[in-house]
Amino acid sequence: MKQTRKIAFLLVLALSTLFIAGCQKKEMKCPFTTITWNSTLEDIIALEGECKESYDSVYGGTTYTYPKEYDELDGTIKYMFDDKEMLVCMSWLYESNDSEDLKAMYDKIHSETEDVLGESGYQFNSDKFAAMANPNDVWYLESGNVILTMVDTSEVKALQYTFLHPDVSSERPER
């Protein structure tokens, strides 16, 4: 009898632990920079150096770009601010001349992100657009959306890995 109670108790404890772990908020730290949402432009300059190129941000502020290596590949990091000088978007852009190289990098980043966050909440690669070979994924998180986008055309071969602040993230669309 005592053995049955112990087994039942351990089973309930194990199931409770699994339930709690499953309910925890998924979150992923931006892997291509140590900058966080609380960082200022001064923090970015201290990390990356003086900005050589900036332009208007789609969020009403300024975008600051820097050459940035990530996963042993040369790319460009973009820090985007809103009209209140708050950092709201961090993106890493990788361009290639080779479709296979681009797709391999997309698949690698996608797999790494999926390992941490699970399946994305949005995948755009329908049969209608399969000829364009442009997979895209969005992970809708309370901590801010994570977006992985690839464009592979005769003119452009690029992928962008984006982390959005919760204030500028959208909710998962209804299906």
Side-chain angles (χ1 to χ4, degrees):
M1 188 79 161
K2 286 185 180 184
Q3 186 69 11
T4 306
R5 282 188 178 170
K6 282 183 184 178
I7 291 172
F9 175 75
L10 290 174
L11 184 59
V12 168
L13 182 63
L15 289 173
S16 297
T17 303
L18 286 173
F19 178 75
I20 291 169
C23 291
Q24 289 178 349
K25 295 178 185 175
K26 292 180 182 179
E27 197 168 325
M28 183 174 188
K29 185 172 168 34
C30 185
F32 48 81
T33 185
T34 57
I35 294 297
T36 67
W37 297 129
N38 296 323
S39 299
T40 64
L41 179 57
E42 290 74 27
D43 298 327
I44 294 170
I45 292 170
L47 176 68
E48 306 287 359
E50 282 299 322
C51 180
K52 304 269 189 281
E53 182 181 358
S54 64
Y55 50 89
D56 290 341
S57 160
V58 296
Y59 303 103
T62 304
T63 298
Y64 300 91
T65 66
Y66 297 88
K68 186 74 164 193
E69 184 178 294
Y70 171 62
D71 245 353
E72 300 178 1
L73 293 171
D74 292 330
T76 302
I77 192 167
K78 302 176 194 178
Y79 297 103
M80 298 179 199
F81 287 81
D82 67 8
D83 58 347
K84 298 172 195 79
E85 297 184 19
M86 185 175 94
L87 180 63
V88 293
C89 179
M90 297 182 280
S91 293
W92 181 74
L93 175 69
Y94 172 66
E95 297 177 275
S96 178
N97 295 322
D98 181 83
S99 294
E100 288 180 26
D101 168 61
L102 184 67
K103 181 70 168 108
M105 188 60 181
Y106 181 93
D107 290 343
K108 183 176 190 294
I109 292 174
H110 186 271
S111 177
E112 291 169 353
T113 306
E114 219 172 38
D115 286 349
V116 176
L117 301 177
E119 288 187 29
S120 76
Y122 172 83
Q123 295 173 332
F124 182 78
N125 195 11
S126 69
D127 292 337
K128 181 178 177 185
F129 297 101
M132 293 187 335
N134 297 323
N136 298 286
D137 287 272
V138 180
W139 287 265
Y140 298 95
L141 310 171
E142 286 183 28
S143 58
N145 294 353
V146 176
I147 303 168
L148 181 58
T149 305
M150 185 179 97
V151 176
D152 186 356
T153 66
S154 57
E155 295 85 28
V156 176
K157 295 181 184 334
L159 72 79
Q160 187 162 288
Y161 193 22
T162 301
F163 286 72
L164 295 176
H165 188 279
D167 289 353
V168 297
S169 293
S170 60
E171 291 185 17
R172 179 188 305 248
E174 298 287 326
R175 290 188 182 205

